[in-house]
Amino acid sequence: MAGTDRFDVDALIEDRGVGVVVCCGSGGVGKTTTAAALGLRAAEAGRRVVVLTIDPARRLAQSLGLTELDNTPRPVRGLDTSAGGSLDAMMLDMKRTFDEVVEAHATPEKAAQIFANPFYQAVSSSFAGTQEYMAMEKLGQLRAEAERTGAWDLIVVDTPPSRSALDFLDAPKRLGSFLDGRFIRLLTAPARAGGRAYLRVFAFGIQLASNTMGRLLGGQMLADVQTFVAALDTMFGGFRERADVTYALLKEATTAFVVVAAPERDAVREAAFFVDRLAQEGMPLAGLVVNRLQPLPAASLTAPRALAAAEQLHELGAETPVSAAGVGPAPAHLDIANAPASSLSLTVELLRLHADTAAVRARQQAQVSRFAAAHPGIPIIEVPAAAGDIHDLDGLRAIGSAFAGGSNG
Amino acid sequence: MPSPALRRALADARLHVVTGKGGTGKTTVAAALALTLAAGGKRVLLAEVEGRQGISQVFDVPPLGDDEVRLVHDPSGGELWGLSVDAKAALMEYLQTFYKLGRAGAALEKVGAIDFATTIAPGVRDVLLIGKVYEAAGRTAGPRRGQGRLVYDAIVLDAPPTGRAVHFLNVNNEVAEVTPMGPIKGQAESITRMLRARSTLVHVVTLLEEMPVQETLDAIRDLSAARFGLGCVIVNQEREPLLSASSRAALRAEGVAERVRADLTAVGVRPTHGMVRGLLAEAAAHLERLDLEEEMRAAILAQDLPVLHLPALAEGIEGGGLAVLSDLLRNQGVR
């Protein structure tokens, strides 16, 4: 990766001017693990950190002390606090966050009325953009709390497991603009709308739309939507503005985006889309984390040389079937590639495994190089794949060290 | 050899719903499955519903629009068609068919009613998306629905990921809450009948890693609780063991580094300490990975569902990889 800047993660987490780090990327690339590892490393470097996770793996959640989904940050145990830092973690409960928003802005009677509305129940628990919207909302809340109480000086946010990384940016606006959109406005205030000259042009369309949607969806649903939006409308000034406020937070200089990718075609392409989008929106990108790169501890041996040596050894083994260091024949059904039973067969297998591993790594690096070529100047850090799954603080610390060391496997 | 359980499961299937955790290769597997069915002489539709253009990427063709596009013509006479279902287009088509709206449809679009119905109205979007699949499944060659032979022998649906799949397929419940009446509700009921029929199978794609397997087990539980017919678990990107049992034993033996070093020297490689240590570390990581995979495989096999296996392809799906996967599915009894 000549010519590529190394993403200096330690400089990022030590930068006191950075108050929010957003980890994003497509589904399955290790966003949550990256967010947790960043948070842990920052906390052990002395920062007071809160990590907002969206959908952590069960054992990772347990290792962070997240045994219950209660929408409240809890201190993580087992932290090295010698640098004066702290680490809290929480798991997003989107329904509960939505409920809290309603409770915070409505009288108890009104809130009860909203909660009972079937349309609210559906939107708050299942609408595709709700999770993203509520992640943004929670981020806004955490930041307000951080400013008020001084409990945290760094918020690390994981983003919802959508297939496209862009959903995180788009979904809240989509939800906001539809709840705020013209059709809903018209449904909720037909009299007022009818009185406006510019809307009269659409009178036919509106009538038709209401009738058709009423027939299609059933009149009850439209009635529910009307009462729901009317109830929400009186308590806070429009969803769109609310989404805009959080969106603006993401553009501030104190925010840093960390794009996470796995070294494979689709994930790298998603990362590229996201990087381009951040640039368009003027949002601050700190760098790209390429997760789970195949490590290659014996990198000094090239793959072709390893294969040639394996071939030679294999022939040698066929000529002299008993090696001085033989460990006995393998059971026939487990014998691979008809290798003779000796230390030679072990060495042959080691060499073939090495060539195979090197090929995997080379393909992965080609994906990263392609990204780097198309996006010059974007700092990149590669994190080697762990052999097993990460589910304890030590595993997260190991990832943190890879951030710092720029490990090349 | 195809297992009897698998043959039984696949014999009656006409609609194959493929789900899996994000990153498990769900779309690739759905494409390989569709290709296998087409290679058996069937006329197959492969449909995606998330607007991601995954099918066009897998088959390396221009992005799919609202129309079905023929992707493959097999010498057996089988055909594979692709479709990226778009909720807006589906709603317009639906309104056109049932209400003969003509140009008034544009007025609906203009006031935002189409956006409203396809985006925010809960469940409606899913009804429209699966509704299009329902329409294609029942489409016949005759002048009216139900007349003549069915246009498609099989349909493969690249469904949303496991986290959302049950919700997506459970359209009826979803819609019933908010839309107790109206044609959408009626449509949802027809769709539900199709999805719960014996001819519909839900397949779950997984990798042999902790999170995908956990999600697979959760999905199997939730799908059976919701009374969907489960097909196979498809284990994707399975690693080939590159170390034999005898090598595993030899790695534990005293002085193994010295022997490997001697072997390397014998064939003219000048091994450094780092190189030998590196080779042994690679072997240890490989074995750890295999052990983890074995544990995950056992968890999958304990589910008592037919399991299909697909290897990790060295070159990815580019350059004929999809055909390789398709052949492997056929060898495992997929017809």
Side-chain angles (χ1 to χ4, degrees), chain A residues 112-376:
Chain A
Q113 195 191 331
I114 293 172
F115 293 153
N117 188 309
F119 187 73
Y120 172 75
Q121 288 170 5
V123 168
S124 63
S125 59
S126 72
F127 177 57
T130 305
Q131 205 174 28
E132 284 83 358
Y133 188 91
M134 289 304 134
M136 287 268 207
E137 177 68 38
K138 197 77 208 175
L139 169 59
Q141 287 178 12
L142 288 173
R143 208 178 75 136
E145 191 176 340
E147 277 169 5
R148 198 175 60 245
T149 66
W152 308 295
D153 60 21
L154 180 63
I155 304 169
V156 180
V157 201
D158 171 26
T159 53
S162 58
R163 191 145 167 201
S164 158
L166 296 177
D167 281 355
F168 179 65
L169 291 179
D170 293 332
K173 276 206 157 174
R174 220 181 297 144
L175 178 65
S177 64
F178 282 112
L179 288 180
D180 238 15
R182 186 156 52 178
F183 185 64
I184 289 197
R185 295 277 135 197
L186 292 170
L187 283 178
T188 50
R192 191 182 44 166
R196 290 197 190 157
Y198 76 95
L199 285 172
R200 221 172 281 147
V201 183
F202 295 121
F204 167 71
I206 295 156
Q207 194 58 43
L208 178 75
S210 300
N211 290 347
T212 312
M213 289 298 132
R215 266 191 293 175
L216 192 64
L217 308 170
Q220 186 56 42
M221 173 173 169
L222 288 191
D224 286 341
V225 173
Q226 285 175 11
T227 51
F228 168 65
V229 177
L232 283 187
D233 204 35
T234 52
M235 39 176 256
F236 53 109
F239 266 91
R240 198 192 323 224
E241 285 117 83
R242 226 179 147 70
D244 285 347
V245 168
T246 325
Y247 205 73
L249 164 70
L250 297 179
K251 291 191 180 191
E252 287 174 15
T254 55
T255 300
F257 279 85
V258 172
V259 178
V260 185
E264 55 198 48
R265 195 183 54 152
D266 291 353
V268 170
R269 184 170 43 215
E270 276 299 322
F273 284 147
F274 200 81
V275 163
D276 294 342
R277 177 67 187 279
L278 288 175
Q280 276 168 29
E281 302 281 333
M283 290 180 172
L285 170 66
L288 175 73
V289 172
V290 179
N291 255 331
R292 299 194 209 124
L293 189 79
Q294 174 66 56
L296 190 66
S300 60
L301 181 61
T302 67
R305 185 74 191 90
L307 281 180
E311 207 51 42
Q312 281 174 280
L313 276 175
H314 187 63
E315 282 164 15
L316 210 63
E319 287 161 16
T320 51
V322 183
S323 152
V327 290
H333 68 284
L334 286 169
D335 200 5
I336 289 182
N338 308 315
S342 72
S343 81
L344 285 186
S345 77
L346 168 65
T347 309
V348 167
E349 286 182 17
L350 288 179
L351 289 167
R352 287 182 180 153
L353 171 64
H354 175 69
D356 194 77
T357 311
V360 170
R361 184 178 169 87
R363 274 194 303 278
Q364 294 181 344
Q365 278 184 323
Q367 295 291 348
V368 181
S369 300
R370 217 173 295 170
F371 174 92
H375 298 84

Side-chain angles (χ1 to χ4, degrees), chain B residues 15-45:
Chain B
L15 172 57
H16 299 265
V17 179
V18 180
T19 182
K21 181 176 157 43
T24 55
K26 176 172 72 67
T27 301
T28 306
V29 170
L33 173 61
L35 199 56
T36 309
L37 298 173
K42 286 180 176 164
R43 203 177 139 99
V44 184
L45 176 68

Side-chain angles (χ1 to χ4, degrees), chain B residues 161-185:
Chain B
T162 35
R164 229 178 72 69
V166 174
H167 205 85
F168 175 76
L169 296 173
N170 239 337
V171 277
N172 207 21
N173 296 7
E174 211 184 335
V175 166
E177 279 177 33
V178 284
T179 317
M181 301 170 295
I184 283 283
K185 168 76 173 150

